[in-house]
Amino acid sequence: MTLKTLTAFLLFTLPAFGRSSIPLAGTWDFRLDPEKVGHARNWQGERIAGESIYLPGSTDQAGYGNKTSGPEKGWLSRPATYEGPAWYQRDVHIPESWRGKRITLFLERPHWQTEVWVNGRAAGVENSLSTPHVYDLTSLLAPGRHRLTICVDNTYRIDVGRNAHSVTDHTQTNWNGIVGRIELQASDPAWIDSARVYTDVKSRAVRVVAEVRNATGTPLAGEIMASVAGTVAQASSAVSLPAAAQSVELLIPMPKNTRLWDEYVPSVQELELTLTLRGAGKVLRDSTRTTFGLRSIGTQGTQFVLNDRPLFLRGTLECNIFPLTGYPPMDVEGWERLYRIARAYGLNHFRFHSWCPPEAAFIAADKAGFLLQVELPVWSSRVGKDAELDAFMRAEGERILKSYGNHPSFTMLCLGNELTGDFETMDKMVTALREKDPRRLYTFSSDHRRRAPGPTSDYYVSHNTTLGPVRIHGARFGKTMSNTDYDFSDMVKLMPMPLVAHELGQWVVFPDYKELGSYTGVLKPRNLEAFQHQLAQRGMADQAAAFQAASGKFAWLVYKEDMEAALRTPRFGGYQLLQIHDFPGQGEALVGLLDSFWNSKGIFTPEEFRRFNSETVPLLRLPKFVWTYGERLKARVEVAHYGKQPLTRTVASWSVRGDDGRTWSTGKLRAVTIPVGSVTNLGEISFPLGPAQRAARLKVTVALEGTDARNDWDIWVYPKELVTPPGEVLVTGTLDRAAWDKLSSGGSVALLLAPGSSAGRTLPMRFLPVFWSLSWFKAQPGTLGILTDPSHPALREFPTDMHSNWQWWELTQNARAFILDDLPGSLRPVVQVIDDYHRNHKLGAVLEARVGKGRLLISSLDLVSDLDQRPVARQLRHSLLSYAQSQSFQPEVELDPSALSTLLTNRGQ
């Protein structure tokens, strides 16, 4: 334990005085119970013979369970799995100084249900997935030696949903064990059971509601004192305990200069409560500490407000993905690392998908200024239809509020993910939780299955509305990819509350197989190893890094447009990305900018990502991406600003530069004051594109002077008319007798397939990459964009990246790609199409080869129809034919005529 860890441990979990503890970390006797006979055979009353295990830890970490061999289909593998009761036992020694004390057993995070016995005598049952299991053992533990037995049962007992991230093998795994703090705790038999801290931002006051309990059986009286560390703020109240419990309120005026807690200045306060009671000739004392922050979270119309300042959620999901342990970090440093990385990429919000993190996550978020949406550990269709599930959810919600409710980062609570069932039951649950604790916002489900907000939710998380998706896919890019001049304003107008885009993104990136060496813990990437092996069998192992880079750049350009559409929307609530790091389950959804360990894939640097994901983001409403010479480019410049304070008299400068470094145009817009919490129109940029030149890719950049805010967008400019030099190349749509004769005589042939052609062994393409996972959502083409070498002479007249970008929509949407698996391994297409890693076909859209004495250039893209209306296709055709007529056209790989005939005549797949 480092000094930093020890300090946090003492500050946030242990009292100043009046209590003591005995840590129980170490080796325990252990026995699995796969036949579930332990209770009937009285294992609780016997010495458990057999194995040993170290706690805190899990059976997976110790290697216990049923050994596995092959890969799991759709998620990472556990080398050993176990579901059922497991028995843990050790002796404990109670010191004489604990005589007369109240003694409890604290198990910070077991999985799932626990039962406890002392010397064979039952102490109770707990089944929370989200909060510590605490047992009162006072009557069972006198000073001396005792045998402590715990049965942990991870059997799926309550129907929370097999995919809920609290229990599923898709993410954390359904492990068995106990992690975090495991200890016996002692206090006087009159104690502070809990303390809820309510803050009033306007008056700078704190109201503390303390629950005081008395287990002595005699009346007690005294006082409770409260003080805030580092300030003069304090209060006290008389306490009279004639019965077992009393609720005591204290009002503490805070200094008027006390800083508020927010995402920019996360000022955390420490409250100490001290209880002194007298009765029956005894003086009893107790003390405890908790932390809080002066903050208010609420809504104004369709916007969130934090301390009355408009707030935009820039969030990511945390789905309990921790491959080294199979369970979440239980130390503050582990969570500080995640928030530090997330902050570097401009995020301010975490959504915990169908689970609740441990105390350490809240402590770290308080310090980092992150806003957390916590969810009950449920993803079910049975809510309101299963009495046991409903009772569990009600109890679990109250336990979460009691355990973590004082943390200022805990700003939102949700009943679970994508819930269906009886909505009236869910509304009653939300109402009860809000009445119990009004310090945060509530919603009944992430991704509301109601198409409109329910009557009890404070905000609405959804990917869809009655007017359509709050995402770009399905709404736009399947039909056209023409501009950035759109937003979700129509959807917002439907809402009486903040609208949050649910699980924005979900665009797949090809695996980074260098990551496989990082799996040194309880989860193994056998599935990914199988994909890697198949890739090698197809002769493309050496291209894995290029596939990952190209698909990653493309996928996150689409993410960028997803996110900017939300940022362009006035009075929008925010977005929850799915997600900034990979999701290795549910069909291997490798959708992240980062890998499963939160390490960079090299797609965007944090600085590049913050250009479109930060508190201040310049935006550009482009009427189109593809232009022709002679047009005038006009575009509106906006900025989404959700910073700490307004930006006064701010000037936006803009520039347009080509890939060759040449500046096409620059300018400045008038100075304006940019308020907080809005999308502000900064003005229009305008400049002529002409006279006619060669095709060019331009970068439009907008920057706010005096700030770090800048953003950029690519556009393409093409000639309206093209003259391809005459040559000896035969251009054809079929490999007919004339084409074979041309090849046989040593000539050059350009085979440009017409759209809808049935010839060729091909797969369908689309512009967009795979959504989520091809194995999970099978009804999609399954390609991840293109890979090409921009310096290839065939592309000399066609400016492009090595990956798909917006100009490729015209070429790849509803196109087809050749399947090249049976052709020579050395054949690498001029324009390669990246296949999904579940299939690993070698795919090509443009390829070249020697056929006998001749030279052949083939395109499966539509470079034939409506060329006067399709400047991108026109330009690529021109570039390819210019190449085919040049001396540079010298293909290295030879194709056998029979293999070529097979490629072109097999039915499409």
Side-chain angles (χ1 to χ4, degrees):
M1 180 179 288
T2 66
L3 179 60
K4 184 178 180 182
T5 305
L6 179 62
T7 302
F9 179 80
L10 294 174
L11 177 61
F12 292 105
T13 64
L14 289 183
F17 68 88
R19 301 183 187 182
S20 56
S21 66
I22 299 174
L24 299 180
T27 301
W28 291 59
D29 294 327
F30 173 75
R31 190 172 182 181
L32 294 178
D33 186 9
E35 303 299 325
K36 301 185 179 181
V37 298
H39 291 81
R41 294 180 181 177
N42 194 36
W43 289 6
Q44 63 270 28
E46 300 175 352
R47 286 283 178 189
I48 295 176
E51 307 289 346
S52 63
I53 194 170
Y54 187 88
L55 292 180
S58 71
T59 52
D60 288 59
Q61 289 176 301
Y64 290 116
N66 301 314
K67 306 306 179 187
T68 64
S69 54
E72 298 290 348
K73 185 177 181 180
W75 58 91
L76 302 171
S77 299
R78 298 166 63 186
T81 65
Y82 180 74
E83 183 173 306
W87 296 73
Y88 303 79
Q89 190 179 84
R90 65 167 292 171
D91 287 347
V92 297
H93 183 269
I94 305 303
E96 182 62 31
S97 60
W98 281 22
R99 186 178 296 278
K101 297 287 188 178
R102 172 181 176 261
I103 303 174
T104 56
L105 172 65
F106 181 90
L107 310 174
E108 185 172 2
R109 182 143 296 197
H111 191 89
W112 179 352
Q113 177 178 281
T114 60
E115 293 180 79
V116 172
W117 296 264
V118 175
N119 303 323
R121 297 171 62 191
V125 180
E126 297 284 344
N127 72 349
S128 175
L129 282 164
S130 308
T131 62
H133 295 196
V134 180
Y135 291 86
D136 190 329
L137 305 183
T138 305
S139 63
L140 302 175
L141 288 178
R145 197 167 192 84
H146 302 274
R147 185 173 66 249
L148 178 64
T149 304
I150 305 174
C151 178
V152 181
D153 191 347
N154 65 332
T155 302
Y156 188 79
R157 292 175 171 271
I158 301 171
D159 190 10
V160 298
R162 278 286 187 178
N163 287 333
H165 297 156
S166 54
V167 297
T168 182
D169 275 348
H170 286 291
T171 56
Q172 71 158 336
T173 78
N174 187 30
W175 54 278
N176 187 301
I178 308 169
V179 298
R181 290 162 50 209
I182 307 172
E183 60 191 29
L184 291 170
Q185 299 175 347
S187 69
D188 280 350
W191 71 99
I192 304 166
D193 185 64
S194 65
R196 301 191 305 276
V197 182
Y198 300 85
T199 61
D200 187 326
V201 168
K202 292 182 179 179
S203 65
R204 294 296 199 274
V206 173
R207 182 170 64 94
V208 181
V209 179
E211 299 294 330
V212 182
R213 298 193 179 275
N214 175 12
T216 65
T218 60
L220 300 172
E223 70 172 356
I224 186 170
M225 297 189 64
S227 60
V228 179
T231 75
V232 297
Q234 60 182 2
S236 63
S237 176
V239 178
S240 178
L241 276 173
Q246 181 185 353
S247 179
V248 183
E249 290 197 17
L250 301 98
L251 186 64
I252 310 174
M254 297 291 291
K256 295 304 180 183
N257 62 351
T258 302
R259 286 185 169 181
L260 302 183
W261 184 94
D262 66 17
E263 61 176 301
Y264 301 109
V265 183
S267 180
V268 180
Q269 311 293 331
E270 180 190 343
L271 174 72
E272 182 173 16
L273 290 172
T274 303
L275 177 69
T276 304
L277 297 170
R278 295 174 177 82
K282 295 181 179 180
V283 178
L284 303 178
R285 293 187 175 90
D286 191 33
S287 178
T288 190
R289 293 175 181 174
T290 188
T291 56
F292 69 94
L294 275 172
R295 67 108 173 106
S296 65
I297 183 73
T299 65
Q300 289 180 359
T302 60
Q303 289 188 285
F304 295 104
V305 287
L306 180 63
N307 304 328
D308 292 328
R309 184 175 61 217
L311 167 72
F312 188 98
L313 298 179
R314 303 183 304 278
T316 187
L317 270 63
E318 212 317 298
C319 298
N320 223 339
I321 299 167
F322 302 100
L324 296 182
T325 58
Y327 55 79
M330 301 303 293
D331 62 303
V332 175
E333 290 97 325
W335 287 100
E336 285 180 330
R337 173 180 177 266
L338 300 193
Y339 296 135
R340 184 169 58 250
I341 294 171
R343 181 69 74 187
Y345 286 92
L347 299 172
N348 65 358
H349 169 58
F350 268 43
R351 174 199 162 201
F352 293 95
H353 180 308
S354 60
W355 75 291
C356 175
E359 179 83 9
F362 293 94
I363 295 170
D366 291 347
K367 295 163 63 178
F370 266 77
L371 293 89
L372 308 184
Q373 176 179 302
V374 175
E375 296 183 4
L376 303 192
V378 179
W379 183 357
S380 174
S381 61
R382 301 282 302 160
V383 184
K385 301 178 180 180
D386 181 332
E388 187 176 20
L389 171 63
D390 295 346
F392 172 78
M393 291 175 67
R394 293 186 187 99
E396 192 80 337
E398 292 187 8
R399 288 188 288 253
I400 289 171
L401 292 174
K402 180 178 179 180
S403 297
Y404 312 121
N406 289 337
H407 290 284
S409 59
F410 184 6
T411 49
M412 302 170 190
L413 181 63
C414 174
L415 297 184
N417 178 68
E418 298 177 8
L419 300 180
T420 57
D422 181 63
F423 292 138
E424 184 177 350
T425 298
M426 297 181 214
D427 287 333
K428 290 178 180 178
M429 288 184 186
V430 171
T431 297
L433 291 172
R434 183 187 289 107
E435 290 176 350
K436 190 81 175 179
D437 190 341
R439 293 176 289 178
R440 55 198 41 84
L441 301 176
Y442 293 85
T443 193
F444 88 91
S445 176
S446 286
D447 195 16
H448 282 221
R449 294 306 183 175
R450 290 166 164 164
R451 296 297 294 276
T456 60
S457 293
D458 295 315
Y459 60 104
Y460 186 69
V461 182
S462 184
H463 81 278
N464 209 353
T465 70
T466 55
L467 290 182
V470 194
R471 298 174 181 167
I472 56 175
H473 72 275
R476 292 184 53 81
F477 285 6
K479 300 175 182 178
T480 181
M481 185 53 252
S482 56
N483 62 69
T484 67
D485 190 13
Y486 67 96
D487 57 35
F488 303 129
S489 293
D490 290 343
M491 288 74 163
V492 170
K493 291 175 184 176
L494 296 174
M495 300 295 152
M497 60 185 63
L499 172 62
V500 179
H502 173 75
E503 298 183 359
L504 203 67
Q506 307 186 46
W507 304 115
V508 167
V509 177
F510 198 84
D512 180 0
Y513 289 118
K514 297 190 298 296
E515 176 195 345
L516 299 187
S518 300
Y519 287 91
T520 58
V522 301
L523 290 171
K524 303 302 180 184
R526 295 171 182 166
N527 52 344
L528 303 182
E529 291 168 350
F531 302 150
Q532 184 185 37
H533 178 68
Q534 184 187 52
L535 185 73
Q537 287 183 315
R538 296 270 168 80
M540 296 182 287
D542 61 321
Q543 289 190 286
F547 288 165
Q548 189 270 330
S551 63
K553 289 287 188 183
F554 176 40
W556 280 87
L557 280 176
V558 182
Y559 266 97
K560 179 178 187 287
E561 185 56 30
D562 250 326
M563 296 156 71
E564 289 184 2
L567 286 165
R568 286 192 294 266
T569 306
R571 298 174 297 281
F572 200 61
Y575 45 73
Q576 296 168 339
L577 300 177
L578 207 176
Q579 55 190 24
I580 200 168
H581 66 306
D582 279 343
F583 187 105
Q586 287 179 231
E588 301 99 358
L590 307 184
V591 296
L593 184 72
L594 314 175
D595 66 21
S596 296
F597 303 91
W598 286 73
N599 297 318
S600 173
K601 294 181 180 180
I603 298 169
F604 283 126
T605 66
E607 293 76 19
E608 290 170 331
F609 195 74
R610 287 201 305 272
R611 291 186 178 187
F612 56 93
N613 187 68
S614 64
E615 62 269 21
T616 307
V617 177
L619 302 164
L620 190 65
R621 287 187 177 265
L622 277 165
K624 55 185 179 179
F625 290 111
V626 174
W627 301 75
T628 55
Y629 286 106
E631 294 185 283
R632 173 173 285 273
L633 186 148
K634 293 183 179 181
R636 189 163 87 241
V637 179
E638 297 177 338
V639 60
H641 178 54
Y642 296 90
K644 189 177 180 182
Q645 56 194 12
L647 301 176
T648 59
R649 294 199 55 76
T650 301
V651 173
S653 60
W654 59 271
S655 64
V656 182
R657 293 184 170 87
D659 284 344
D660 58 2
R662 181 168 73 89
T663 298
W664 287 52
S665 188
T666 62
K668 293 186 178 184
L669 303 177
R670 62 184 178 84
V672 298
T673 294
I674 302 171
V676 173
S678 66
V679 181
T680 301
N681 181 7
L682 301 182
E684 185 180 80
I685 64 175
S686 176
F687 67 94
L689 296 168
Q693 301 176 44
R694 297 176 62 180
R697 194 266 298 271
L698 310 179
K699 189 174 292 293
V700 183
T701 302
V702 175
L704 301 187
E705 296 183 352
T707 76
D708 295 329
R710 61 187 295 115
N711 202 355
D712 54 63
W713 302 263
D714 292 333
I715 63 170
W716 292 263
V717 187
Y718 299 108
K720 285 184 178 181
E721 297 180 356
L722 291 167
V723 178
T724 304
E728 297 298 323
V729 176
L730 173 64
V731 180
T732 180
T734 59
L735 205 57
D736 54 15
R737 176 56 64 97
W740 283 112
D741 289 345
K742 186 76 170 178
L743 292 170
S744 297
S745 64
S748 297
V749 174
L751 177 60
L752 308 180
L753 295 182
S757 171
S758 61
R761 185 168 180 249
T762 61
L763 278 177
M765 297 170 58
R766 71 173 183 186
F767 172 73
L768 288 176
V770 170
F771 172 79
W772 182 252
S773 167
L774 185 61
S775 69
W776 204 256
F777 296 104
K778 301 180 185 298
Q780 51 184 325
T783 54
L784 303 176
I786 64 104
L787 170 67
T788 193
D789 178 1
S791 66
H792 193 290
L795 303 174
R796 184 172 292 129
E797 301 295 327
F798 187 78
T800 183
D801 299 286
M802 51 90 75
H803 55 83
S804 288
N805 208 326
W806 305 123
Q807 91 275 28
W808 281 95
W809 187 92
E810 181 182 302
L811 297 167
T812 57
Q813 183 67 12
N814 298 320
R816 300 189 72 87
F818 288 114
I819 302 174
L820 308 175
D821 297 341
D822 298 328
L823 298 186
S826 56
L827 177 66
R828 293 292 162 84
V830 175
V831 177
Q832 191 162 357
V833 178
I834 305 169
D835 196 24
D836 184 86
Y837 44 87
H838 295 91
R839 294 187 312 211
N840 284 312
H841 287 303
K842 179 189 284 187
L843 301 177
V846 177
L847 53 146
E848 61 179 343
R850 286 185 293 109
V851 181
K853 298 178 181 179
R855 296 165 294 173
L856 177 65
L857 184 68
I858 311 175
S859 171
S860 65
L861 305 174
D862 179 8
L863 304 181
V864 178
S865 62
D866 300 324
L867 295 181
D868 58 331
Q869 301 297 318
R870 300 173 60 233
V872 184
R874 184 172 67 228
Q875 187 68 43
L876 180 58
R877 176 189 173 105
H878 170 74
S879 187
L880 293 179
L881 293 183
S882 296
Y883 168 63
Q885 293 169 3
S886 72
Q887 292 300 313
S888 299
F889 184 35
Q890 300 293 334
E892 296 180 359
V893 176
E894 182 174 0
L895 284 185
D896 182 87
S898 62
L900 179 60
S901 295
T902 300
L903 175 69
L904 295 175
T905 58
N906 278 3
R907 287 185 177 275
Q909 297 190 0

